[in-house]
Amino acid sequence: QVQLVESGGGLVQPGGSLRLSCAASGSVFRVLDMAWYSQAPGKQRELVATITFDGRTNYADSVKGRFTISRDNAKNTVYLQMASLKPEDTAVYYCKGTRGYNVSWGQGTQVTVSS
């Protein structure tokens, strides 16, 4: 089982930026498809962005043009660069790694967008 650890969350004003990181243990990161999800209070967890093992990306409509997912296989890390943040982006952000039927989740990092 791959261990995933998110970091980089915090409090930011509307219009600001944050970069989340998700570090993976072990040596299989480069073959994992990775994703970021968000879960706002009282809501279901939602897909934010995905990046395949070979670098193809996809985004939820709500974040297109504002968020960028990327990965650095040398550092076993996936990133979520968030810009033009809105109060409705406030949530716990989780990363997920998938390889076939094997799925791993991180513990989440809180992002709060507020003035």
Side-chain angles (χ1 to χ4, degrees), residues 32-114:
L32 296 177
D33 293 329
M34 301 299 296
W36 285 97
Y37 285 73
S38 67
Q39 188 166 19
K43 294 189 176 181
Q44 290 189 331
R45 196 169 294 188
E46 297 180 339
L47 180 63
V48 174
T50 63
I51 185 166
T52 62
F53 71 97
D54 56 353
R56 288 169 288 142
T57 60
N58 198 20
Y59 298 91
D61 287 343
S62 59
V63 306
K64 281 181 181 176
R66 299 190 299 122
F67 292 9
T68 303
I69 189 170
S70 62
R71 65 190 298 157
D72 185 339
N73 290 340
K75 295 182 178 180
N76 280 9
T77 301
V78 62
Y79 303 99
L80 185 68
Q81 180 68 50
M82 305 187 292
S84 301
L85 283 160
K86 305 174 181 180
E88 51 264 43
D89 295 319
T90 295
V92 178
Y93 285 74
Y94 298 89
C95 70
K96 183 181 82 170
T98 304
R99 183 186 183 191
Y101 293 108
N102 294 313
V103 178
S104 298
W105 289 92
Q107 84 289 348
T109 186
Q110 176 71 46
V111 172
T112 302
V113 184
S114 175

